[in-house]
Amino acid sequence: MQNDVILSVRDLETEFMTDEGVVKILHGVSFDVRKGRTLGLVGESGCGKSVTSMSIMGLLPKPYGQITKGQILYRGTDLVTLPPEDMYAMRGNKISVIFQDPMTALNPVHTIGCQLNEVLELHRPELSKVQRNAYSLEMLQKVKIPMPEKRLNEYPHNLSGGMRQRVMIAMALACKPDILICDEPTTALDVTVQASILELMNDLQEETGMAMIFITHDLGVVAEVCDDVAVMYGGKVVEYADIFDLFDNPQHPYTERLMGLMPSLDSEPKQPIEIKPIDVTLFPEFKG
């Protein structure tokens, strides 16, 4: 199985400079991403999920955010020590990301076709303009956008939220990356659109064989799309397991608490959620 690991994060520590001083966000995060499998990063808001993805992509805000310790090994290459120009070439080509809100990720003053073409200009310079246009159309067809010829000449505000997210997926997959990072890509979508987006991503993963890191706080989504799960709490991975082991036999009290907050068909509706304080003595990694 070790030969299937294409991304290995080891003891990753990230901190930010603030007006009040240095704040450490990640406290030694470690996990592996295997070829053709989906790793779910799960946890409450503020636990460090998105900072982990931005650290991997080299997109931490400069000069305030920086990686202070650890390794991010992509096929044996440490991305932490990679020169900026090499990381620029890696980003979007070998490792791509889909952000939570497609309206802010897409440029509102450029057409969909222009933005797809820009990705290809940067990472596929050997393609001619005609080839880029044809490939952009093919990618929109692949993500099942209706009337793709028309959409190429439209702007983001002309599209629905689900269609904008499909455009983001098309842009992320345009260069056939090894790893796709999905930072809560369905949070802003309604349930039916969310289901169609998750089905699309599963289909594309089976077709391309890429690995995925799926960041979410929704355990229902995790059960639907993930093969492995890393549960994060306070900037640290507190449990790392196969999806079936995690749901059948959670080992960490925080994981058990997350499971207990999931709605059940057997429970009485519209009941207040019972919130019990977590015993901090069960978290030795955070003592002091």
Side-chain angles (χ1 to χ4, degrees):
M1 287 294 290
Q2 193 64 30
N3 293 333
D4 295 336
V5 175
I6 57 177
L7 183 75
S8 182
V9 177
R10 287 289 173 269
D11 301 319
L12 183 64
E13 296 185 3
T14 299
E15 64 183 27
F16 284 83
M17 290 292 299
T18 69
D19 293 338
E20 286 74 32
V22 177
V23 177
K24 182 174 285 190
I25 305 299
L26 301 183
H27 302 263
V29 171
S30 298
F31 57 79
D32 292 327
V33 182
R34 291 183 166 82
K35 183 177 180 180
R37 292 173 68 87
T38 299
L39 171 73
L41 278 184
V42 185
E44 62 195 13
S45 297
C47 71
K49 304 186 301 294
S50 293
V51 172
T52 299
S53 70
M54 293 299 98
S55 299
I56 293 171
M57 295 295 294
L59 292 175
L60 292 171
K62 302 294 184 182
Y64 307 105
Q66 61 178 334
I67 296 171
T68 57
K69 184 181 177 184
Q71 294 179 308
I72 303 171
L73 300 173
Y74 168 73
R75 297 190 182 276
T77 300
D78 190 356
L79 302 185
V80 175
T81 60
L82 208 61
E85 59 273 14
D86 292 342
M87 190 65 208
Y88 182 81
M90 179 85 67
R91 190 186 305 122
N93 192 20
K94 299 297 184 183
I95 307 176
S96 289
V97 62
I98 302 172
F99 295 103
Q100 180 172 344
D101 186 0
M103 197 60 201
T104 57
L106 292 169
N107 193 322
V109 300
H110 290 296
T111 64
I112 299 303
C114 177
Q115 296 184 63
L116 277 166
N117 270 285
E118 184 180 12
V119 175
L120 297 173
E121 285 178 22
L122 290 171
H123 298 292
R124 300 285 299 278
E126 73 279 4
L127 297 179
S128 66
K129 183 176 181 180
V130 173
Q131 289 173 319
R132 289 197 300 269
N133 288 333
Y135 192 75
S136 296
L137 178 61
E138 180 186 338
M139 289 306 300
L140 291 187
Q141 291 170 337
K142 183 171 289 188
V143 297
K144 301 177 182 177
I145 286 185
M147 296 184 289
E149 299 88 349
K150 178 183 177 183
R151 307 305 178 194
L152 283 173
N153 298 313
E154 291 187 331
Y155 293 86
H157 68 268
N158 297 128
L159 307 182
S160 67
M163 290 174 66
R164 288 196 293 264
Q165 197 59 279
R166 288 172 187 265
V167 171
M168 287 299 301
I169 294 172
M171 292 175 64
L173 298 183
C175 296
K176 300 178 180 177
D178 277 346
I179 303 170
L180 178 64
I181 300 175
C182 309
D183 191 354
E184 303 200 38
T186 59
T187 299
L189 307 176
D190 63 52
V191 176
T192 54
V193 177
Q194 174 178 290
S196 66
I197 293 293
L198 293 177
E199 182 181 4
L200 169 66
M201 296 178 72
N202 274 332
D203 292 343
L204 292 173
Q205 184 181 34
E206 289 180 6
E207 179 184 336
T208 62
M210 66 181 175
M212 286 201 301
I213 300 174
F214 205 98
I215 298 172
T216 183
H217 59 269
D218 189 336
L219 287 174
V221 171
V222 169
E224 181 74 20
V225 303
C226 296
D227 301 297
D228 307 292
V229 186
V231 180
M232 292 191 67
Y233 177 82
K236 192 176 183 72
V237 174
V238 295
E239 186 163 355
Y240 180 48
D242 173 89
I243 183 69
F244 297 106
D245 293 337
L246 188 90
F247 277 86
D248 291 342
N249 188 27
Q251 297 295 309
H252 199 278
Y254 179 69
T255 308
E256 292 180 348
R257 180 62 50 82
L258 288 178
M259 300 291 186
L261 296 176
M262 291 181 66
S264 170
L265 292 175
D266 301 326
S267 59
E268 188 176 347
K270 297 184 179 179
Q271 294 299 306
I273 297 175
E274 184 182 3
I275 302 295
K276 298 178 181 178
I278 295 179
D279 184 357
V280 294
T281 61
L282 300 175
F283 294 81
E285 58 268 31
F286 299 113
K287 283 186 178 179

